[in-house]
Amino acid sequence: VALADQYNSHSCIPKKVSFCSAQLVQFHAGPHEGQYGLLEDYIPGTFEKHNLNFPMMPTSARNTPQAFSHFTFERTNGRMVVCDVQGVGDKYTDPQIHCMEPARQYGQGNFGAHGIISFVSNHRCNAICRALKLTPITELPHNGGGRPLRGATAPVPRYY
């Protein structure tokens, strides 16, 4: 949410982004008793997946979600990227974060260096990236904030 707030603070963006809040719940009865799940508000409208978790590729032609992912990458000095952007309009739900710091827990979909490299390899800057004066992907040092992306050639775990 902090990265979304920072993104939204720029007057040059045509649309602001927001994320659904999620509540962790534990089931106390029924077939899932004792298990945990996430509960989010219903978002009316047509649900669309804008970019993938891995490979980190755009799946829609919308500029805002792609620029938001680029913004998160640059704002964190290449240490993380928010991807798997999906939702209705610019109300997003269930994002994934790829992060270089293994101590941070972002779930099974956090592919660390693999996910970040996938983003850098597949992102194409758009008008919003340029308006935000983000560093063009082609000009970025393809490393994680000055340190080599270790393990980038190791097999990527399967995500189910």
Side-chain angles (χ1 to χ4, degrees), residues 48-138:
E48 186 175 7
K49 194 166 187 85
H50 301 292
N51 59 39
L52 300 174
N53 178 20
F54 196 89
M56 183 32 211
M57 297 184 68
T59 56
S60 79
R62 301 244 1 265
N63 285 343
T64 298
Q66 312 313 330
F68 175 70
S69 289
H70 184 169
F71 177 87
T72 65
F73 174 78
E74 187 158 314
R75 187 51 53 118
T76 62
N77 296 314
R79 303 303 300 162
M80 65 175 58
V81 63
V82 176
C83 63
D84 202 17
V85 178
Q86 55 196 316
V88 176
D90 293 304
K91 179 84 170 183
Y92 303 145
T93 179
D94 192 30
Q96 178 61 58
I97 298 173
H98 294 310
C99 181
M100 291 294 296
E101 298 161 18
R104 294 202 176 199
Q105 299 296 313
Y106 293 114
Q108 291 179 323
N110 176 10
F111 295 143
H114 296 288
I116 293 170
I117 289 170
S118 181
F119 167 74
V120 170
S121 299
N122 291 294
H123 177 72
R124 299 296 172 263
C125 291
N126 61 50
I128 301 172
C129 298
R130 291 185 286 280
L132 287 166
K133 295 182 173 47
L134 298 176
T135 305
I137 290 293
T138 56

